[in-house]
């Protein structure tokens, strides 16, 4: 079980559960084609974003296998949501999890995604006691692959045309890091 105390503070960010008040900030990136390009969803309408935020607002803890912890990434200097990070608890027995993230392109190149994702790895390894955390990305999403590498994750697989998404075959990269490896780098 993992239920963090909120907000979680990093050097420049606050990570906290989503609220209805976050809809406009989230819609600012979920409606953009360049964001949806690598996601399983198309650019979202305001109503679709409202539903997504309502769902993510309920994902504030990891109580058991299959749960997802979804947190808003908020700039501490202006209280604006710039993205989201997720940690999925895949297996209790094997102590496996998965990291996910989506960020507003207006805030790319500032290290915010790395800062937030690093904190999610810490929560997974230290807070939940996971042994292994994976990260997956579209094979053409080079920025996401570089982020996973900056986090100290190693590329373990390149699956070619392994998913049919939005009517097209998609290739996927899979990265992973083990708890002992993460501790050495932290």
């Amino acid at each position: 079980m993992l239920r963090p105390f909120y907000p979680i503070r990093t050097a420049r960010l606050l990570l906290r559960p989503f609220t209805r008040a976050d809809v406009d900030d989230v819609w600012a990136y979920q409606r953009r084609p360049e964001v949806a390009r690598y996601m399983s969803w198309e650019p979202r309408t305001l109503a679709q974003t409202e539903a997504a935020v309502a769902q993510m607002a309920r994902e504030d803890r990891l109580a058991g296998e299959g749960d997802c912890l979804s947190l808003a990434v908020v700039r501490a200097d202006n209280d604006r949501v710039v993205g989201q990070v997720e940690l999925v608890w895949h297996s209790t027995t094997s102590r496996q999890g998965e990291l996910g993230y989506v960020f507003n392109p207006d805030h790319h190149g500032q290290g915010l995604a790395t800062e937030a994702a690093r904190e999610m790895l810490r929560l997974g390894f230290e807070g939940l006691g996971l042994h292994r955390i994976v990260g997956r990305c579209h094979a053409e999403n080079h920025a996401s692959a570089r982020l996973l590498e900056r986090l100290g994750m190693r590329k373990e697989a390149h699956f070619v045309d392994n998913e049919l998404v939005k009517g097209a075959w998609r290739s996927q990269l899979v990265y992973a890091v083990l708890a002992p490896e993460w501790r050495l780098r932290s």
Side-chain angles (χ1 to χ4, degrees):
M1 167 82 166
L2 174 66
R3 182 171 186 169
F5 293 103
Y6 297 114
I8 299 166
R9 297 178 186 276
T10 68
R12 300 175 292 166
L13 303 170
L14 303 174
L15 306 182
R16 60 155 174 81
F18 282 92
T19 69
R20 291 179 54 88
D22 298 328
V23 168
D24 288 339
D25 286 346
V26 175
W27 191 44
Y29 59 88
Q30 285 195 352
R31 68 182 174 206
R32 294 172 73 162
E34 68 269 29
V35 172
R37 173 181 178 200
Y38 297 119
M39 306 306 293
S40 60
W41 36 266
E42 296 290 351
R44 289 185 167 157
T45 65
L46 179 57
Q48 289 169 326
T49 299
E50 288 170 343
V53 168
Q55 173 62 40
M56 291 186 296
R58 293 188 293 272
E59 299 173 338
D60 65 349
R61 72 193 76 183
L62 294 169
E65 192 172 292
D67 285 353
C68 179
L69 175 66
S70 296
L71 300 179
V73 179
V74 180
R75 288 188 64 122
D77 62 353
N78 66 12
D79 204 38
R80 301 299 301 258
V81 175
V82 297
Q84 61 200 67
V85 286
E86 297 182 343
L87 182 63
V88 179
W89 191 358
H90 281 306
S91 171
T92 304
T93 304
S94 298
R95 296 177 19 227
Q96 306 281 314
E98 182 171 347
L99 171 70
Y101 44 83
V102 182
F103 277 78
N104 186 325
D106 294 343
H107 300 277
H108 286 180
Q110 301 172 35
L112 301 176
T114 303
E115 189 173 323
R118 188 170 284 127
E119 183 61 19
M120 293 302 276
L121 288 176
R122 187 192 70 75
L123 286 173
F125 290 127
E126 294 179 9
L128 195 57
L130 295 177
H131 172 69
R132 181 173 186 272
I133 298 176
V134 301
R136 304 169 197 267
C137 67
H138 188 298
E140 294 176 12
N141 190 343
H142 305 295
S144 186
R146 284 192 304 271
L147 169 59
L148 295 168
E149 291 166 3
R150 275 195 306 278
L151 293 169
M153 301 177 92
R154 94 186 127 275
K155 184 164 73 169
E156 292 189 336
H158 181 165
F159 295 113
V160 178
D161 287 355
N162 70 310
E163 293 182 296
L164 187 60
V165 179
K166 301 179 200 174
W169 288 106
R170 177 179 289 186
S171 296
Q172 182 182 73
L173 301 177
V174 179
Y175 287 78
V177 62
L178 301 175
E181 296 167 333
W182 182 82
R183 279 195 279 290
L184 283 174
R185 292 184 183 103
S186 296

